């Protein structure tokens, strides 16, 4: 796989950027703002790492983990009642999980990590 070519990671960059910038146009509080900015930036960094080094399985899973953290953050950090910012976290988290998980098999294949039958 060529560097800077996997569309899934570009989607993660875009949604991470959206999350990080969303406090500009979404009613929020200090906690939600901090969560969205930090997890948004971390998602962008993981996706850029994946784009620059395709096939590194660890960062693919890190991207998925950031998506999970983003998705659960409204409940864990107590801002689920703030509809706009919570919806942003849920949607961005879900998209990041989906595109990150979608890219894992190609990263595994690139490194020859797919399962091979064991011969007896």
């Amino acid at each position: 796989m060529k560097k800077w070519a996997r569309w899934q990671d570009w989607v993660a960059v875009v949604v991470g950027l959206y999350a990080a910038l969303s406090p500009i146009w979404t009613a929020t509080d200090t906690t939600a703002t901090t969560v969205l900015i930090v997890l948004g930036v971390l998602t962008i960094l993981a996706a850029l790492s994946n784009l620059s080094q395709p096939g590194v399985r660890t960062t693919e899973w890190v991207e998925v983990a950031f998506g999970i953290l983003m998705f659960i953050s409204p409940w864990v950090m107590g801002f689920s009642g703030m509809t706009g910012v919570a919806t942003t976290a849920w949607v961005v988290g879900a998209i990041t999980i989906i595109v990150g998980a979608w890219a894992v098999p190609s990263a595994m294949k690139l490194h020859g990590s797919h399962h091979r039958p064991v011969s007896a």
Side-chain angles (χ1 to χ4, degrees), residues 64-86:
V64 172
F66 289 145
I68 292 168
L69 291 174
M70 182 74 79
F71 188 82
I72 66 171
S73 67
W75 296 294
V76 174
M77 300 304 290
F79 61 91
S80 61
M82 301 178 75
T83 305
V85 72

Side-chain angles (χ1 to χ4, degrees), residues 44-70:
I44 292 167
L45 293 174
L48 289 174
S49 176
N50 289 333
L51 284 163
S52 69
Q53 300 174 44
V56 177
R57 291 168 289 171
T58 306
T59 53
E60 294 294 349
W61 286 112
V62 167
E63 188 176 302
V64 172
F66 289 145
I68 292 168
L69 291 174
M70 182 74 79

